[in-house]
Amino acid sequence: MTGRPYHHGNLRSTLLDAACAAIEETGPAALSLRDLARRAGVSHAAPAHHFGDKAGLLTELAAQGFDLLAGALRAAGGDLTEAGVAYVLFAVRHRAHFEVMFQPGLHHPDDPVLDAARRRADEALTSALSSSGPARRANSEAKLAAWSIVHGFAALWTSGALPSRGGEDPAVLARTVIGNLFS
């Protein structure tokens, strides 16, 4: 006996939370199911039982991330600049999800649950773009341009690649940058 309780509770959620913490510490490449089991205080086989493998766990994490992103974009209320700021803040607040979502080599990109979550995020971006006025109807080029701008800013911010701005709030800087480009 290990002294661990047989029933953990919501182990799936606990493992996903542990994965987020581990990814924020060392990145997604260093993540291991054995380490997650240790962090969660369960047997090393427990994560594989729930997710199959590391890619399965990261697939669920990516799907969760796309749903969180869709919610953040919808909460922006149809304003394109605010949707861009919401995207950046999502990346800052959910860095582990952000790091996994756009790396198809880490997860199962053809997973139907992930695909549905990705579509919900795309629909939220399309809605924000459509609400921004007739000059920016949600055609594929406009969506790609808007996504590229905010994703690039978010990636630069979360990686620490932007020049130091004296502790500036990412929302303030993103709003300025995005507002200049979208106005």
Side-chain angles (χ1 to χ4, degrees):
M1 290 297 291
T2 63
R4 296 180 184 157
Y6 176 75
H7 183 68
H8 186 278
N10 191 352
L11 184 55
R12 256 184 128 66
S13 178
T14 299
L15 290 169
L16 289 168
D17 290 345
C20 285
I23 290 168
E24 288 182 9
E25 290 171 16
T26 60
L31 183 72
S32 79
L33 294 184
R34 189 174 290 273
D35 178 53
L36 292 182
R38 182 190 55 74
R39 288 172 184 257
V42 296
S43 77
H44 70 274
H49 173 74
H50 284 278
F51 300 104
D53 58 8
K54 177 180 170 179
L57 180 133
L58 293 177
T59 299
E60 188 155 333
L61 194 69
Q64 188 180 65
F66 279 112
D67 278 333
L68 290 167
L69 176 59
L73 292 172
R74 282 192 301 271
D79 180 275
L80 188 57
T81 298
E82 291 308 310
V85 172
Y87 189 102
V88 170
L89 289 177
F90 161 79
V92 170
R93 294 175 180 155
H94 301 281
R95 200 186 83 205
H97 292 92
F98 186 72
E99 288 188 37
V100 171
M101 292 162 58
F102 303 103
Q103 293 191 50
L106 293 176
H107 52 72
H108 302 297
D110 57 349
D111 180 82
V113 173
L114 175 59
D115 189 51
R118 191 182 297 119
R119 275 195 313 274
R120 287 187 289 275
D122 182 64
E123 289 165 4
L125 175 60
T126 299
S127 177
L129 200 57
S130 294
S131 299
S132 67
R136 285 193 205 97
R137 291 292 174 220
N139 64 53
S140 60
E141 293 82 15
K143 279 188 349 188
L144 181 58
W147 181 37
S148 297
I149 290 165
V150 297
H151 186 85
F153 183 93
L156 289 168
W157 184 276
T158 59
S159 70
L162 288 177
S164 176
R165 306 276 307 193
E168 189 163 3
D169 181 343
V172 171
L173 184 57
R175 192 170 285 111
T176 302
V177 170
I178 296 165
N180 284 333
L181 293 171
F182 290 162
S183 58

